């Protein structure tokens, strides 16, 4: 496997100009597609009564596909500890990080990576990452997890247990928002076989952030994505034909609707189109967790949501087939 040139390595060279492969086409550049002012992404406190939460989340998922949650019960100190161990990994000598290098071309997605191009026309994103399963136990390969810092496993396992509680709460509320039983969406995602994938995104300071993107516009193939950042701005959501900057609220969790929930809800919940910008002065990091069904789970519009006025908008297929088509840019 050929080791890619890491974005972090390029940033440490003190470049004044971006290499050509990072410069986006004119219409994609942040300088030509600025976020509008005065529009705020919904912020929802989980301390509210259930009926209020169901209404607010259903509205946010239908109109935005995106919202922030506060009062979620995960302690600020645990979030800070997870940030600390993630930052410490990326501060390790390069040769130590390379011991964990992944190889997506051979199907090995877990580990340390840099998203590279498929062909000469595609542009590269200004980001390195670390990716691995954190749930269920049967999917975890601790040998792939960073051994340094030594507390990485303990902190990540503790965060996983807290995030599972939040995930269950969100799945219940989103089920109720569709007029379903509270456990319905989780059962569609495999029940106790629901998988959680953690990705640590590392966006170093960029010499020309107006020309580059940390992550290009995309929707997540997950059912739900739950993340926090190191409070450096950069995340933007697409709403009504414009980009909207997502404000950072300390210790809030960002929640994206992913493709699988759009399919299950037959389009009522919108998979959130979003992108990540980079920064000239500051390192930005984010910790998304992707909630996905097992590969053999068949995902399609729920029959109880289909009628003569609301015909199926999507075909049913296994998550494995959906993922293959998404990766290879094939029609669904």
């Amino acid at each position: 496997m050929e080791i890619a040139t890491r974005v972090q390595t390029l940033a440490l060279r003190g470049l004044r100009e971006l290499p050509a492969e990072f410069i986006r086409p004119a219409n994609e550049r942040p300088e030509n597609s600025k976020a509008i002012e005065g529009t705020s992404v919904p912020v929802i406190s989980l301390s509210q009564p259930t009926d209020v939460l169901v209404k607010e989340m259903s509205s946010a998922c239908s109109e935005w596909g995106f919202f922030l949650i506060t009062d979620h019960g995960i302690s600020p100190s645990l979030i800070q500890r997870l940030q600390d161990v993630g930052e410490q990994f990326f501060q390790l000598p390069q040769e130590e990080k390379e011991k964990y290098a992944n190889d997506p071309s051979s199907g090995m997605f877990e580990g340390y990576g840099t998203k590279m191009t498929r062909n000469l026309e595609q542009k590269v994103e200004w980001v390195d990452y670390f990716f691995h399963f954190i749930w269920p136990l049967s999917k975890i390969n601790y040998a792939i997890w960073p051994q340094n810092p030594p507390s990485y496993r303990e902190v990540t396992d503790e965060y996983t247990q807290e995030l599972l509680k939040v995930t269950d709460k969100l799945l219940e509320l989103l089920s109720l928002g569709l007029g379903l039983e509270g456990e319905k969406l989780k059962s569609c995602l495999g029940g106790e076989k629901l998988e959680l994938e953690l990705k640590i995104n590392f966006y170093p300071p960029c010499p020309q952030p107006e020309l580059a993107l940390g992550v290009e516009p995309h929707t997540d193939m997950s059912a739900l994505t739950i993340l926090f950042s190191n409070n450096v701005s950069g995340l933007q959501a697409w709403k009504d034909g414009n980009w909207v900057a997502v404000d950072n609220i300390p210790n809030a969790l960002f929640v994206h609707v992913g493709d699988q929930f759009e399919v299950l809800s037959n389009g009522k919940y919108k998979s959130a189109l979003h992108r990540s910008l980079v920064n000239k002065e500051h390192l930005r990091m984010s910790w998304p967790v992707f909630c996905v069904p097992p590969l053999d789970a068949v995902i399609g519009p729920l029959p109880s949501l289909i009628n003569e006025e609301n015909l199926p908008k999507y075909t049913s297929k296994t998550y494995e087939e959906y993922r293959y088509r998404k990766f290879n840019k094939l029609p669904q």
Side-chain angles (χ1 to χ4, degrees):
M1 177 183 65
E2 181 182 353
I3 297 297
T5 300
R6 304 302 182 188
V7 172
Q8 185 178 10
T9 301
L10 290 175
L12 290 172
R13 291 177 187 168
L15 299 175
R16 294 192 177 186
E17 294 184 355
L18 277 175
E21 63 266 27
F22 290 96
I23 299 175
R24 311 299 298 194
N27 64 308
E28 295 181 15
R29 296 174 191 171
E31 64 181 358
N32 297 328
S33 55
K34 295 185 184 301
I36 60 170
E37 304 289 335
T39 301
S40 297
V41 171
V43 180
I44 301 173
S45 166
L46 289 190
S47 66
Q48 300 176 100
T50 296
D51 59 334
V52 176
L53 288 172
V54 169
K55 183 177 179 181
E56 290 190 1
M57 281 192 192
S58 178
S59 175
C61 290
S62 299
E63 295 176 19
W64 285 83
F66 195 98
F67 55 95
L68 280 75
I69 54 172
T70 59
D71 304 307
H72 45 68
I74 302 180
S75 72
S77 62
L78 177 55
I79 290 174
Q80 184 60 55
R81 286 161 58 212
L82 194 68
Q83 286 191 44
D84 290 344
V85 294
E87 290 172 2
Q88 288 164 25
F89 171 78
F90 279 96
Q91 290 166 0
L92 293 174
Q94 193 61 36
E95 59 269 22
E96 185 163 352
K97 294 197 289 284
E98 294 297 349
K99 294 176 184 176
Y100 301 95
N102 64 3
D103 185 13
S105 65
S106 67
M108 190 180 84
F109 293 97
E110 291 188 85
Y112 173 59
T114 300
K115 186 174 178 184
M116 304 310 292
T117 57
R118 285 185 180 274
N119 57 50
L120 293 174
E121 286 72 43
Q122 286 186 308
K123 297 297 183 177
V124 184
E125 299 166 328
W126 188 260
V127 60
D128 296 329
Y129 65 86
F130 201 100
F131 175 82
H132 62 81
F133 285 98
I134 58 173
W135 194 259
L137 293 174
S138 60
K139 296 289 291 188
I140 294 175
N141 179 0
Y142 284 119
I144 290 173
W145 292 30
Q147 305 300 302
N148 195 2
S151 60
Y152 182 92
R153 174 174 169 176
E154 175 191 351
V155 172
T156 304
D157 279 341
E158 185 179 342
Y159 181 72
T160 299
Q161 292 305 313
E162 293 301 312
L163 193 66
L164 282 167
K165 299 173 190 175
V166 175
T167 302
D168 281 349
K169 180 73 170 177
L170 292 173
L171 293 178
E172 178 187 4
L173 293 167
L174 292 172
S175 289
L176 295 172
L178 293 171
L180 306 170
E181 296 292 326
E183 70 279 359
K184 182 62 177 178
L185 285 178
K186 184 172 181 179
S187 70
C188 292
L189 300 175
E192 296 310 309
K193 294 181 180 179
L194 171 74
E195 299 176 2
L196 301 183
E197 307 164 340
L198 171 66
K199 188 181 182 193
I200 308 174
N201 289 315
F202 185 91
Y203 308 95
C206 176
Q208 294 177 296
E210 70 280 3
L211 303 179
L213 289 173
V215 177
E216 64 190 17
H218 69 288
T219 61
D220 292 344
M221 68 177 77
S222 61
L224 206 61
T225 303
I226 306 169
L227 70 91
F228 67 85
S229 74
N230 65 340
N231 292 322
V232 174
S233 297
L235 185 61
Q236 296 187 342
W238 185 256
K239 175 75 161 62
D240 297 333
N242 292 287
W243 289 110
V244 176
V246 181
D247 293 332
N248 285 286
I249 300 176
N251 302 307
L253 296 176
F254 305 76
V255 182
H256 306 224
V257 173
D259 297 347
Q260 305 313 303
F261 268 180
E262 180 167 323
V263 171
L264 284 166
S265 70
N266 201 37
K268 180 176 180 182
Y269 291 165
K270 309 297 185 200
S271 189
L273 183 68
H274 56 285
R275 68 178 185 178
S276 293
L277 273 55
V278 289
N279 192 292
K280 189 168 187 175
E281 308 296 335
H282 302 290
L283 163 69
R284 181 170 181 267
M285 295 183 69
S286 66
W287 284 257
V289 171
F290 305 102
C291 307
V292 302
L295 290 176
D296 60 357
V298 177
I299 305 295
L302 288 166
S304 59
L305 302 180
I306 302 301
N307 54 47
E308 290 183 359
E309 288 77 38
N310 191 26
L311 298 173
K313 298 181 176 72
Y314 310 90
T315 59
S316 298
K317 58 178 73 68
T318 63
Y319 179 61
E320 182 173 28
E321 182 179 354
Y322 188 96
R323 193 177 75 157
Y324 175 83
R325 289 175 173 276
K326 179 108 173 180
F327 274 137
N328 291 284
K329 298 181 171 61
L330 299 173
Q332 293 289 351

